[in-house]
Amino acid sequence: DAGVIQSPRHEVTEMGQEVTLRCKPISGHNSLFWYRQTMMRGLELLIYFNNNVPIDDSGMPEDRFSAKMPNASFSTLKIQPSEPRDSAVYFCASSLSRGGRKDTQYFGPGTRLTVL
Amino acid sequence: DAKTTQPPSMDCAEGRAANLPCNHSTISGNEYVYWYRQIHSQGPQYIIHGLKNNETNEMASLIITEDRKSSTLILPHATLRDTAVYYCIVRVDFYSGGGADGLTFGKGTHLIIQP
């Protein structure tokens, strides 16, 4: 089975440019999560979706960040405009939530973003 | 979710059992103990979870004390590939309303397997 797929794996951009990160969750999973990892703050949740609907975006740092999930097999995280402090590794994770239970989250390989 | 405390780092000799402790003294009755690990430059990987009984799978064993205030993750025969940061996370396994929510990661334990 293919795991969570993220693209690109590495992204280098200049300050002010728009960046779009992509995620394909595990087939059949109905919950999707975006996390960010930095040396200073560790791993932190940005936003999560259930059945393609954003549930909690309180972790999104500011309005420059937006996330969408147009269908069950695709999600994007967009930063516009990007800033050097956005440099981090961004992880996508998915899980199957059913019958009121939270299931195990499976993580993708991450996208390493560098904003110059 | 309850807070967890882990040692920042540990060493273990290759081939020996690695025992990683986690303190979660404020755990609630409906909170599970989860363990994830993150090998350098990779995404976090699920290892095991449990409520109050000891659990074992192909990767590890989880021992939870009777009062559930602490637990130990055991890697029975550590290899160099087990060098990673190990995260102990406590979370409620049932949700209400909106559905699943995210994991709260602490700083974890950096386990170094020595050859």
Side-chain angles (χ1 to χ4, degrees):
Chain A
D1 270 347
V4 175
I5 298 172
Q6 293 187 245
S7 65
R9 294 293 310 277
H10 301 273
E11 176 79 34
V12 180
T13 191
E14 293 188 346
M15 182 174 63
Q17 296 298 306
E18 177 180 297
V19 175
T20 300
L21 312 181
R22 297 172 175 80
C23 176
K24 177 178 169 57
I26 293 172
S27 178
H29 282 189
N30 58 358
S31 295
L32 184 139
F33 310 81
W34 283 100
Y35 292 84
R36 179 173 68 173
Q37 186 171 33
T38 61
M39 288 293 292
M40 291 294 293
R41 300 175 65 91
L43 263 165
E44 51 183 350
L45 177 70
L46 299 178
I47 184 172
Y48 69 92
F49 296 81
N50 282 317
N51 298 313
N52 311 338
V53 176
I55 301 299
D56 184 355
D57 65 355
S58 59
M60 297 284 260
E62 46 196 280
D63 292 345
R64 298 184 296 106
F65 286 70
S66 62
K68 294 182 179 180
M69 191 163 186
N71 57 61
S73 59
F74 183 65
S75 176
T76 60
L77 177 67
K78 185 177 293 187
I79 308 172
Q80 166 62 20
S82 59
E83 296 183 2
R85 59 190 168 128
D86 302 330
S87 298
V89 182
Y90 292 80
F91 290 103
C92 176
S94 71
S95 70
L96 175 60
S97 302
R98 50 192 164 179
R101 300 206 61 165
K102 306 176 191 177
D103 209 342
T104 301
Q105 292 185 24
Y106 296 90
F107 285 75
T111 295
R112 180 174 296 276
L113 173 66
T114 302
V115 183
L116 303 174
Chain B
D1 293 336
K3 180 180 171 61
T4 62
T5 303
Q6 299 178 252
S9 65
M10 292 181 64
D11 287 349
C12 179
E14 187 178 20
R16 305 297 294 269
N19 297 279
L20 292 94
C22 179
N23 188 297
H24 31 79
S25 58
T26 60
I27 193 170
S28 300
N30 60 352
E31 289 182 311
Y32 284 69
V33 181
Y34 277 76
W35 283 84
Y36 278 75
R37 74 179 181 183
Q38 187 173 22
I39 296 170
H40 181 61
S41 297
Q42 298 182 21
Q45 177 189 24
Y46 166 79
I47 301 173
I48 198 168
H49 75 284
L51 182 63
K52 53 184 176 181
N53 297 320
N54 298 338
E55 302 286 345
T56 296
N57 63 19
E58 65 279 3
M59 289 183 68
S61 294
L62 174 60
I63 308 298
I64 302 174
T65 58
E66 193 169 341
D67 63 7
R68 302 209 323 121
K69 294 186 176 184
S70 66
S71 61
T72 300
L73 178 74
I74 301 173
L75 308 178
H77 304 287
T79 71
L80 297 178
R81 290 174 295 179
D82 292 321
T83 292
V85 178
Y86 288 76
Y87 297 98
C88 171
I89 299 168
V90 173
R91 70 193 291 242
V92 175
D93 221 32
F94 283 83
Y95 60 82
S96 60
D101 57 22
L103 297 169
T104 301
F105 289 85
K107 296 187 183 299
T109 295
H110 187 194
L111 175 66
I112 299 171
I113 307 301
Q114 305 282 3

mmCIF file of all heavy atoms in Angstrom, chain B residues 38-57:
data_model
loop_
_atom_site.group_PDB
_atom_site.id
_atom_site.type_symbol
_atom_site.label_atom_id
_atom_site.label_comp_id
_atom_site.label_asym_id
_atom_site.label_seq_id
_atom_site.Cartn_x
_atom_site.Cartn_y
_atom_site.Cartn_z
ATOM 1 N N GLN B 38 10.709 9.199 15.326
ATOM 2 C CA GLN B 38 11.069 9.935 14.132
ATOM 3 C C GLN B 38 12.553 9.720 13.881
ATOM 4 O O GLN B 38 13.408 10.201 14.647
ATOM 5 C CB GLN B 38 10.770 11.429 14.285
ATOM 6 C CG GLN B 38 10.978 12.210 13.009
ATOM 7 C CD GLN B 38 10.527 13.653 13.122
ATOM 8 O OE1 GLN B 38 10.435 14.207 14.212
ATOM 9 N NE2 GLN B 38 10.238 14.273 11.981
ATOM 10 N N ILE B 39 12.802 8.969 12.836
ATOM 11 C CA ILE B 39 14.164 8.758 12.380
ATOM 12 C C ILE B 39 14.574 9.998 11.592
ATOM 13 O O ILE B 39 13.747 10.603 10.903
ATOM 14 C CB ILE B 39 14.251 7.485 11.528
ATOM 15 C CG1 ILE B 39 13.916 6.268 12.412
ATOM 16 C CG2 ILE B 39 15.617 7.327 10.885
ATOM 17 C CD1 ILE B 39 13.731 4.972 11.661
ATOM 18 N N HIS B 40 15.825 10.349 11.683
ATOM 19 C CA HIS B 40 16.317 11.600 11.107
ATOM 20 C C HIS B 40 15.807 11.805 9.685
ATOM 21 O O HIS B 40 15.904 10.923 8.840
ATOM 22 C CB HIS B 40 17.840 11.602 11.122
ATOM 23 C CG HIS B 40 18.429 12.868 10.579
ATOM 24 N ND1 HIS B 40 18.187 14.099 11.150
ATOM 25 C CD2 HIS B 40 19.206 13.093 9.506
ATOM 26 C CE1 HIS B 40 18.807 15.018 10.459
ATOM 27 N NE2 HIS B 40 19.451 14.434 9.454
ATOM 28 N N SER B 41 15.219 12.998 9.471
ATOM 29 C CA SER B 41 14.766 13.438 8.150
ATOM 30 C C SER B 41 13.552 12.667 7.632
ATOM 31 O O SER B 41 13.234 12.777 6.445
ATOM 32 C CB SER B 41 15.894 13.339 7.113
ATOM 33 O OG SER B 41 16.953 14.190 7.456
ATOM 34 N N GLN B 42 12.903 11.888 8.486
ATOM 35 C CA GLN B 42 11.697 11.178 8.065
ATOM 36 C C GLN B 42 10.485 11.667 8.850
ATOM 37 O O GLN B 42 10.621 12.374 9.851
ATOM 38 C CB GLN B 42 11.871 9.670 8.253
ATOM 39 C CG GLN B 42 12.984 9.063 7.420
ATOM 40 C CD GLN B 42 13.077 7.564 7.603
ATOM 41 O OE1 GLN B 42 12.128 6.910 8.024
ATOM 42 N NE2 GLN B 42 14.235 7.004 7.282
ATOM 43 N N GLY B 43 9.315 11.280 8.396
ATOM 44 C CA GLY B 43 8.106 11.608 9.135
ATOM 45 C C GLY B 43 7.955 10.711 10.354
ATOM 46 O O GLY B 43 8.510 9.614 10.407
ATOM 47 N N PRO B 44 7.231 11.180 11.372
ATOM 48 C CA PRO B 44 6.999 10.337 12.546
ATOM 49 C C PRO B 44 6.348 9.006 12.166
ATOM 50 O O PRO B 44 5.505 8.951 11.263
ATOM 51 C CB PRO B 44 6.058 11.193 13.406
ATOM 52 C CG PRO B 44 6.351 12.594 13.007
ATOM 53 C CD PRO B 44 6.650 12.516 11.538
ATOM 54 N N GLN B 45 6.738 7.971 12.865
ATOM 55 C CA GLN B 45 6.258 6.611 12.592
ATOM 56 C C GLN B 45 5.558 6.063 13.828
ATOM 57 O O GLN B 45 6.119 6.088 14.930
ATOM 58 C CB GLN B 45 7.444 5.714 12.213
ATOM 59 C CG GLN B 45 7.092 4.265 11.978
ATOM 60 C CD GLN B 45 8.329 3.395 11.835
ATOM 61 O OE1 GLN B 45 9.408 3.721 12.318
ATOM 62 N NE2 GLN B 45 8.189 2.268 11.158
ATOM 63 N N TYR B 46 4.348 5.572 13.646
ATOM 64 C CA TYR B 46 3.615 4.970 14.751
ATOM 65 C C TYR B 46 4.316 3.695 15.214
ATOM 66 O O TYR B 46 4.779 2.887 14.395
ATOM 67 C CB TYR B 46 2.187 4.643 14.311
ATOM 68 C CG TYR B 46 1.438 3.716 15.248
ATOM 69 C CD1 TYR B 46 0.881 4.199 16.421
ATOM 70 C CD2 TYR B 46 1.297 2.363 14.944
ATOM 71 C CE1 TYR B 46 0.188 3.344 17.280
ATOM 72 C CE2 TYR B 46 0.614 1.516 15.788
ATOM 73 C CZ TYR B 46 0.062 2.009 16.958
ATOM 74 O OH TYR B 46 -0.620 1.163 17.809
ATOM 75 N N ILE B 47 4.395 3.497 16.544
ATOM 76 C CA ILE B 47 4.999 2.269 17.069
ATOM 77 C C ILE B 47 3.946 1.401 17.741
ATOM 78 O O ILE B 47 3.739 0.246 17.357
ATOM 79 C CB ILE B 47 6.112 2.588 18.097
ATOM 80 C CG1 ILE B 47 7.206 3.446 17.460
ATOM 81 C CG2 ILE B 47 6.700 1.291 18.652
ATOM 82 C CD1 ILE B 47 8.246 3.932 18.457
ATOM 83 N N ILE B 48 3.259 1.941 18.742
ATOM 84 C CA ILE B 48 2.370 1.123 19.557
ATOM 85 C C ILE B 48 1.519 2.045 20.423
ATOM 86 O O ILE B 48 1.869 3.206 20.622
ATOM 87 C CB ILE B 48 3.207 0.156 20.431
ATOM 88 C CG1 ILE B 48 2.366 -1.001 20.967
ATOM 89 C CG2 ILE B 48 3.913 0.915 21.555
ATOM 90 C CD1 ILE B 48 3.233 -2.123 21.578
ATOM 91 N N HIS B 49 0.392 1.549 20.905
ATOM 92 C CA HIS B 49 -0.378 2.300 21.876
ATOM 93 C C HIS B 49 -1.133 1.343 22.791
ATOM 94 O O HIS B 49 -1.311 0.162 22.459
ATOM 95 C CB HIS B 49 -1.331 3.293 21.208
ATOM 96 C CG HIS B 49 -2.559 2.690 20.589
ATOM 97 N ND1 HIS B 49 -2.540 2.003 19.392
ATOM 98 C CD2 HIS B 49 -3.851 2.695 20.998
ATOM 99 C CE1 HIS B 49 -3.769 1.621 19.083
ATOM 100 N NE2 HIS B 49 -4.580 2.009 20.030
ATOM 101 N N GLY B 50 -1.561 1.858 23.958
ATOM 102 C CA GLY B 50 -2.295 1.032 24.902
ATOM 103 C C GLY B 50 -3.052 1.875 25.904
ATOM 104 O O GLY B 50 -2.787 3.062 26.059
ATOM 105 N N LEU B 51 -3.996 1.237 26.593
ATOM 106 C CA LEU B 51 -4.806 1.923 27.594
ATOM 107 C C LEU B 51 -4.336 1.579 29.003
ATOM 108 O O LEU B 51 -3.984 2.454 29.784
ATOM 109 C CB LEU B 51 -6.277 1.559 27.425
ATOM 110 C CG LEU B 51 -7.247 2.246 28.382
ATOM 111 C CD1 LEU B 51 -7.248 3.742 28.165
ATOM 112 C CD2 LEU B 51 -8.663 1.686 28.192
ATOM 113 N N LYS B 52 -4.367 0.316 29.342
ATOM 114 C CA LYS B 52 -3.904 -0.070 30.675
ATOM 115 C C LYS B 52 -3.228 -1.422 30.689
ATOM 116 O O LYS B 52 -2.438 -1.717 31.578
ATOM 117 C CB LYS B 52 -5.060 -0.058 31.669
ATOM 118 C CG LYS B 52 -6.270 -0.863 31.273
ATOM 119 C CD LYS B 52 -7.383 -0.679 32.291
ATOM 120 C CE LYS B 52 -8.649 -1.404 31.862
ATOM 121 N NZ LYS B 52 -9.751 -1.208 32.830
ATOM 122 N N ASN B 53 -3.522 -2.246 29.701
ATOM 123 C CA ASN B 53 -2.849 -3.540 29.629
ATOM 124 C C ASN B 53 -1.551 -3.402 28.852
ATOM 125 O O ASN B 53 -1.390 -2.523 28.020
ATOM 126 C CB ASN B 53 -3.747 -4.559 28.924
ATOM 127 C CG ASN B 53 -5.026 -4.804 29.704
ATOM 128 O OD1 ASN B 53 -5.005 -4.878 30.920
ATOM 129 N ND2 ASN B 53 -6.130 -4.901 28.990
ATOM 130 N N ASN B 54 -0.616 -4.282 29.138
ATOM 131 C CA ASN B 54 0.620 -4.287 28.366
ATOM 132 C C ASN B 54 0.318 -4.712 26.941
ATOM 133 O O ASN B 54 -0.566 -5.536 26.696
ATOM 134 C CB ASN B 54 1.632 -5.226 29.017
ATOM 135 C CG ASN B 54 2.008 -4.764 30.417
ATOM 136 O OD1 ASN B 54 1.864 -3.600 30.753
ATOM 137 N ND2 ASN B 54 2.468 -5.697 31.220
ATOM 138 N N GLU B 55 1.038 -4.130 26.002
ATOM 139 C CA GLU B 55 0.828 -4.422 24.602
ATOM 140 C C GLU B 55 2.152 -4.804 23.950
ATOM 141 O O GLU B 55 3.208 -4.317 24.355
ATOM 142 C CB GLU B 55 0.235 -3.203 23.877
ATOM 143 C CG GLU B 55 -1.072 -2.684 24.433
ATOM 144 C CD GLU B 55 -2.256 -3.565 24.105
ATOM 145 O OE1 GLU B 55 -2.129 -4.444 23.213
ATOM 146 O OE2 GLU B 55 -3.320 -3.387 24.736
ATOM 147 N N THR B 56 2.051 -5.658 22.944
ATOM 148 C CA THR B 56 3.236 -6.056 22.175
ATOM 149 C C THR B 56 2.859 -6.165 20.716
ATOM 150 O O THR B 56 1.782 -6.658 20.387
ATOM 151 C CB THR B 56 3.777 -7.412 22.670
ATOM 152 O OG1 THR B 56 4.223 -7.275 24.022
ATOM 153 C CG2 THR B 56 4.957 -7.873 21.826
ATOM 154 N N ASN B 57 3.752 -5.675 19.865
ATOM 155 C CA ASN B 57 3.602 -5.907 18.429
ATOM 156 C C ASN B 57 4.968 -6.234 17.855
ATOM 157 O O ASN B 57 5.925 -6.476 18.609
ATOM 158 C CB ASN B 57 2.919 -4.724 17.728
ATOM 159 C CG ASN B 57 3.737 -3.443 17.811
ATOM 160 O OD1 ASN B 57 4.935 -3.467 18.065
ATOM 161 N ND2 ASN B 57 3.048 -2.327 17.608
#
